[in-house]
Amino acid sequence: MFSLNPHSSGRHFLQIPGPTNVPDRVLRAIDQPTIDHRGPVFGALGLEVLAGIRQVFQTQGPVVIYPSSGTGAWEAALVNTLSPGDRVLMAETGHFASLWRKLAGRLGLEVDFLEGDWRHPADPAAIGARLAADAQHRIKAVCVVHNETSTGVTSDVAAVRAAIDRAAHPALLMVDTISSLGSIDYRHDEWGVDVTVAGSQKGLMLPPGLSFNAVSAKALAAADTARLPRSYWDWREMLGPNERGYFPYTPSTNLLYGLHEALAMLREEGLAQVYARHRRHGQATRLAVQAWGLELLSLDPAAHSPALTAVLMPPGHSADALRKAVLERYDMSLGQGLGKLADRVFRIGHLGHFNDLTLCGALAGVEMGLAAAGVPHRAGGVQAAMEFLKSQP
């Protein structure tokens, strides 16, 4: 028989790097009567949400909201700006960068894939060199994952933009922020991004079901000549109704209630404080991992993610066996290894609706789980994190 929580008491610890824990006040906002999505009350809601989400992207331009997962926003970014046979340059930073590449290929795009080891961020110099060699400007877009959810590695988007500019190349810059928006500092306008992709279920503290495209003027101009088929994903269909707070088809009304509340929470805390909180929790988690004597997957200290930490298992030990022990004994879910990292890493999510005590509880579950699963480690990871948190209030 299905049971949401087979344990007798307490709340489940959801420490995967998304979907994240949904705050109670967001759940209460979602739990309101559905209203007429053509009526005046909804129009007011739509205008407030569309204005509020622009603040999180740090853009003055339009943000299109879809009732979909982040995969839909990936597709929307490509089909609105590109034509069959166009070439795109993509950086391999992990599983999700690889999935975006696969989607691009299915759409009939030619993908120039800069291979990576899944332990380092996108290489701006390599991107710049590839663009500089493209004298005919066949490459129409550069696609980068800001925070690779499968690896815990964050790429420097501003440096990628600078590399494109140094090459004097007209390619569009597209960035996936699905696990970074609302948890890691991100500046769509300042960094010269043309299309930013995001989803609702991570730093925005919502259930899955909403996705986003923040769009530059250059990208909007590209949409006028792009020839990839699009209907549901067409920005042009969205932008007219959005001016009045409405959508061209039935929106996810109750999720938009939740988004309205989540945006209020981010404003109340302040984005700078939100980002500082995530950096602090990321550092505390890495100190715990190091105290355990385990290895971080991310090898570049400047690229360690504030949103999640991926941990390599010692040789001969199963990450999935550890995750199973932690779930069964302590009712906590950890992220699994994806793609070529399957069973080799576990991932600790520390993003979204999260505080010091939540982190300490999560790290305690990992430390007890390591012992329960017989994984070689040193004790003291939780203590190391606590000492850091006490010293950095």
Side-chain angles (χ1 to χ4, degrees):
M1 179 179 175
F2 170 77
S3 175
L4 186 63
N5 186 349
H7 295 263
S8 58
S9 64
R11 296 189 70 163
H12 175 69
F13 266 58
L14 182 66
Q15 300 311 141
I16 63 176
T20 60
N21 296 288
V22 180
D24 287 346
R25 60 185 278 190
V26 172
L27 289 172
R28 289 194 296 269
I30 293 171
D31 185 21
Q32 295 186 61
T34 302
I35 58 173
D36 175 11
H37 60 284
R38 307 295 183 202
V41 174
F42 182 88
L45 170 70
L47 287 173
E48 290 187 18
V49 165
L50 289 164
I53 195 65
R54 286 198 294 270
Q55 296 175 15
V56 182
F57 282 97
Q58 300 194 59
T59 182
Q60 298 297 313
V63 176
V64 177
I65 304 176
Y66 296 104
S68 80
S69 69
T71 304
W74 273 349
E75 182 167 335
L78 298 174
V79 299
N80 277 286
T81 56
L82 301 172
S83 298
D86 279 353
R87 182 176 291 275
V88 294
L89 179 61
M90 296 179 136
E92 182 188 16
T93 51
H95 182 67
F96 290 98
S98 300
L99 288 179
W100 201 5
R101 172 203 186 181
K102 187 175 182 180
L103 187 153
R106 287 176 170 174
L107 292 174
L109 300 169
E110 295 183 20
V111 181
D112 190 351
F113 204 44
L114 288 170
E115 294 185 357
D117 63 359
W118 292 33
R119 304 191 72 176
H120 290 87
D123 184 351
I127 291 172
R130 196 65 61 92
L131 293 174
D134 180 32
Q136 296 182 332
H137 295 167
R138 291 195 61 219
I139 296 171
K140 303 302 181 184
V142 176
C143 300
V144 174
V145 175
H146 182 214
N147 188 71
E148 177 54 70
T149 319
S150 65
T151 65
V153 175
T154 304
S155 292
D156 188 337
V157 174
V160 172
R161 176 76 261 174
I164 297 172
D165 292 345
R166 282 192 298 271
H169 199 287
L172 298 165
L173 174 57
M174 303 188 188
V175 180
D176 170 337
T177 66
I178 290 173
S179 64
S180 58
L181 190 77
S183 56
I184 303 174
D185 190 16
Y186 184 78
R187 308 178 185 191
H188 176 90
D189 285 359
E190 182 180 328
W191 294 346
V193 181
D194 293 299
V195 187
T196 300
V197 172
S200 59
Q201 73 274 21
K202 298 181 189 279
L204 292 179
M205 304 178 291
L206 289 162
L210 295 179
S211 68
F212 309 87
N213 278 174
V215 185
S216 73
K218 182 178 176 181
L220 284 174
D224 290 335
T225 57
R227 292 183 288 103
L228 280 174
R230 62 193 190 272
S231 175
Y232 181 85
W233 305 114
D234 198 331
W235 293 337
R236 298 166 300 182
E237 294 295 313
M238 281 282 205
L239 295 177
N242 280 178
E243 291 181 359
R244 296 173 287 111
Y246 298 104
F247 294 80
Y249 42 68
T250 307
S252 296
T253 306
N254 288 59
L255 284 179
L256 292 174
Y257 287 152
L259 177 59
H260 187 272
E261 191 67 22
L263 292 171
M265 293 178 68
L266 292 173
R267 284 195 303 272
E268 290 164 14
E269 185 175 357
L271 285 177
Q273 178 63 26
V274 170
Y275 302 146
R277 170 168 56 83
H278 282 81
R279 289 194 300 270
R280 181 168 168 273
H281 288 151
Q283 178 64 15
T285 303
R286 292 189 294 273
L287 289 170
V289 173
Q290 291 161 6
W292 291 324
L294 300 178
E295 184 179 356
L296 296 167
L297 182 65
S298 173
L299 290 176
D300 183 350
H304 291 334
S305 171
L308 73 133
T309 299
V311 185
L312 275 167
M313 294 294 289
H317 290 270
S318 164
D320 290 344
L322 168 66
R323 292 174 51 252
K324 184 173 185 289
V326 169
L327 178 62
E328 291 179 348
R329 288 174 178 251
Y330 308 116
D331 194 19
M332 182 169 75
S333 294
L334 296 170
Q336 68 186 85
L338 299 172
K340 66 183 182 182
L341 296 175
D343 205 27
R344 295 178 54 206
V345 306
F346 65 93
R347 295 173 296 145
I348 305 169
H350 35 79
L351 71 161
H353 189 53
F354 201 80
N355 61 24
D356 288 4
L357 292 182
T358 312
L359 178 62
C360 290
L363 295 176
V366 174
E367 188 160 331
M368 291 188 293
L370 291 168
V375 179
H377 71 289
R378 298 189 298 265
V382 179
Q383 188 63 39
M386 289 172 58
E387 293 301 323
F388 172 78
L389 294 172
K390 288 189 293 184
S391 69
Q392 301 288 330

